[in-house]
Amino acid sequence: MNPYNYKNNQLSVEGLSIKQIAEVIETPFYCYSQSAIQNAYQEYDVNIKQLDSLICYAVKANSNQAIIKTLADLGAGADVVSEGELRRALMAGVPANKIVYSGVAKTAHEIKFALEQDIFQFNVESENELMLLNEIACHLDKKAAIAFRINPDVDAKTHAKISTGKSENKFGIPISKARDIYQKAAKLEGIVVQGVDVHIGSQLTDLVPFKLAFSRIKKLVTDLNQSGIPISAIDLGGGLGVNYEQKGEISHGIEAYCQIVKEIFTGMDCQIILEPGRSLVADSGLLVSKVIYTKQGEDRLFLIIDSAMNDFIRPSMYDAFHHILPISKKDTQVTYDIVGPVCETGDTFAKNRTMGKMSEGDLLGIASAGAYGSTMSSTYNTRLLIPEVLVKDQDMCIIKKRTDYEVLINQDQLAPWQ
Ligand code: LLP
């Protein structure tokens, strides 16, 4: 259910009007509905709990500790890809034994830190990584529980920049080489072979590639078990898309996805791990901005707003569609190119978009911005990182403050000869 609705022509979240929030916090800011995140998690939970399962939230989607804790409090583990994410997950209260560590190039330092925390599993992506992990584990007198991330050579049919499961992509071990590397790993002193992992891409709106990849993984697990390498965990990655356009019914929702997982893996006697990111948090978020100027170009009307590609890069980077909503509903409809203030033509949120007529100073919201929004933001153009607000049952709390210029600019240091 969409947490954002109009009440008396005012867009509100969990019964709280966005306009009221913007009276307290200057735009631009991210706003998240906590209930929306909890509901999405519960939908996974209810539909997957028939299997021995663990839902490891992919922290990269939104790594604010208040968001991680929202999910950890419901029983979620975490999928992390860096020491920074691991630290955040631990600080937000995710138990180490519910943390899986993914990522294509973990450094020696990161491996050591993760081993010291006794995390649940390393998802290993290459033979060289395996060797380094073994060496560090032996040195620390520890055993690293591992899965190999298998590249099943399946086309996820999503945007090329976020497709990861084809043989040409940098990710994982080719499925053709999987059996050999498992044999090798099983002989290593510092390694405990525990699982098989797969993640074929993100924002999948078609469930068929999942079916294909999961079936290949099931076959591999069966083969490994038969060849004397018992597999106790199957990590299916993340990737389920959200309905950004909010058109029609979502035929590829969480329930349908879990149904496929159950159809394929029931009876496997393995723990099933899911790593959803976007599908847990995207729809909870709204990027609230203000119109700075309207500007009539040669053949189009520009709406120039106070957030930019540095705050929210998905439209520039993936040509992503996001609904843009006036905070106060308007009757007259106007067509705009909606752009930010950064000096790049790519700093465009939407072209040719028809929406309620906006004036300078009016507020608008970029919808479904809860995933890969704040985590992908930068300070490009020396713009400050923007605040984040969590809303729950008409309460609101700032869960990240705006950075200030002093902190931002003082990170630079002049060289002694200057
Ligand atoms: N597990 C692994 C190993 C991943 O690499 C990812 C995402 C996930 C889980 C979570 O996938 P999700 O459920 O969120 O699709 N910045 C892009 C998305 C990049 C996804 C990277 N990996 C975007 O804004 O669309």
Side-chain angles (χ1 to χ4, degrees):
M1 208 185 69
N2 191 343
Y4 294 90
N5 299 296
Y6 285 98
K7 245 177 48 183
N8 305 324
N9 289 333
Q10 288 299 318
L11 192 65
S12 60
V13 53
E14 300 207 22
L16 193 65
S17 112
I18 304 287
K19 195 168 155 224
Q20 263 174 292
I21 304 176
E23 277 161 15
V24 187
I25 302 158
E26 242 179 81
T27 59
F29 61 86
Y30 280 102
C31 174
Y32 308 118
S33 153
Q34 190 173 24
S35 302
I37 298 171
Q38 290 165 325
N39 292 343
Y41 180 86
Q42 265 141 7
E43 203 181 340
Y44 269 107
D45 196 38
V46 161
N47 285 292
I48 204 69
K49 71 172 178 216
Q50 296 80 359
L51 299 178
D52 173 11
S53 53
L54 176 64
I55 301 167
C56 289
Y57 168 53
V59 165
K60 64 166 77 72
N62 188 322
S63 58
N64 189 298
Q65 286 180 66
I67 304 296
I68 303 174
K69 182 161 168 49
T70 297
L71 291 161
D73 285 349
L74 296 172
D79 165 51
V80 302
V81 292
S82 67
E83 181 177 334
E85 284 192 353
L86 176 51
R87 285 178 183 272
R88 272 180 196 260
L90 291 168
M91 282 177 73
V94 182
N97 65 6
K98 287 187 178 177
I99 298 181
V100 294
Y101 196 148
S102 303
V104 77
K106 304 165 194 78
T107 64
H109 192 275
E110 289 177 314
I111 288 173
K112 179 166 178 282
F113 180 74
L115 276 168
E116 285 164 353
Q117 312 307 312
D118 291 324
I119 62 164
F120 177 67
Q121 178 170 293
F122 288 83
N123 290 339
V124 175
E125 298 223 13
S126 67
E127 188 169 337
N128 291 2
E129 183 192 341
L130 173 72
M131 291 313 182
L132 180 62
L133 179 57
N134 179 53
E135 191 187 313
I136 300 171
C138 289
H139 187 71
L140 295 176
D141 203 16
K142 294 212 174 241
K143 298 239 181 240
I146 67 140
F148 285 108
R149 175 170 175 178
I150 302 302
N151 184 325
D153 195 18
V154 167
D155 185 352
K157 300 203 172 77
T158 181
H159 192 284
K161 285 188 181 148
I162 50 175
S163 184
T164 56
K166 289 210 41 148
S167 59
E168 70 217 41
N169 302 133
K170 69 180 173 185
F171 300 95
I173 313 273
I175 194 157
S176 58
K177 299 200 161 75
R179 288 155 186 87
D180 287 351
I181 200 164
Y182 271 99
Q183 293 293 349
K184 195 169 244 176
K187 297 189 186 95
L188 297 175
E189 187 68 12
I191 298 291
V192 175
V193 174
Q194 165 172 297
V196 173
D197 168 47
V198 65
H199 171 79
I200 57 172
S202 193
Q203 184 52 18
L204 273 76
T205 53
D206 180 356
L207 294 178
V208 174
F210 284 126
K211 274 193 197 168
L212 212 59
F214 295 170
S215 303
R216 288 183 188 171
I217 291 302
K218 180 181 179 177
K219 164 106 183 37
L220 175 64
V221 171
T222 309
D223 288 358
L224 289 170
N225 283 335
Q226 279 167 3
S227 64
I229 299 181
I231 297 299
S232 60
I234 304 177
D235 182 340
L236 300 176
L240 180 66
V242 299
N243 192 357
Y244 283 113
E245 307 222 11
Q246 291 163 20
K247 274 191 196 146
E249 284 296 300
I250 313 177
S251 59
H252 56 268
I254 294 171
E255 191 183 342
Y257 171 86
C258 291
Q259 190 55 37
I260 286 180
V261 174
K262 285 186 286 194
E263 274 164 24
I264 298 179
F265 293 104
T266 297
M268 283 295 279
D269 199 21
C270 278
Q271 184 175 35
I272 299 295
I273 297 161
L274 306 181
E275 298 174 355
R278 184 190 322 263
S279 49
L280 288 175
V281 294
D283 288 336
S284 75
L286 187 77
L287 171 53
V288 183
S289 311
K290 193 172 17 195
V291 176
I292 309 178
Y293 297 115
T294 54
K295 173 170 163 173
Q296 182 61 60
E298 179 70 31
D299 60 351
R300 63 195 66 211
L301 187 55
F302 292 102
L303 206 54
I304 309 175
I305 64 177
D306 62 359
S307 53
M309 62 191 286
N310 71 297
D311 304 308
F312 188 56
I313 204 169
R314 299 199 73 257
S316 322
M317 190 151 171
Y318 313 111
D319 297 316
F321 177 95
H322 285 261
H323 276 296
I324 301 183
L325 310 164
I327 301 301
S328 305
K329 215 171 192 172
K330 307 283 165 71
D331 288 334
T332 317
Q333 299 291 301
V334 177
T335 300
Y336 298 107
D337 277 12
I338 302 165
V339 299
V342 160
C343 313
E344 294 204 27
T345 303
D347 185 25
T348 297
F349 292 110
K351 278 189 170 168
N352 226 1
R353 187 70 65 86
T354 302
M355 65 181 291
K357 184 174 192 298
M358 305 294 286
S359 308
E360 291 168 12
D362 281 351
L363 299 172
L364 52 76
I366 301 180
S368 304
Y372 306 109
S374 67
T375 48
M376 293 184 79
S377 61
S378 75
T379 57
Y380 185 41
N381 277 212
T382 307
R383 289 168 54 86
L384 299 174
L385 292 178
I386 66 177
E388 295 174 84
V389 180
L390 187 66
V391 174
K392 173 74 178 170
D393 296 337
Q394 306 211 347
D395 270 346
M396 54 161 278
C397 176
I398 298 177
I399 57 171
K400 189 168 110 195
K401 287 195 281 194
R402 196 182 304 279
T403 48
D404 61 49
Y405 288 115
E406 208 161 90
V407 170
L408 179 63
I409 297 171
N410 284 346
Q411 284 171 344
D412 306 348
Q413 285 185 11
L414 298 183
W417 58 87
Q418 287 184 299

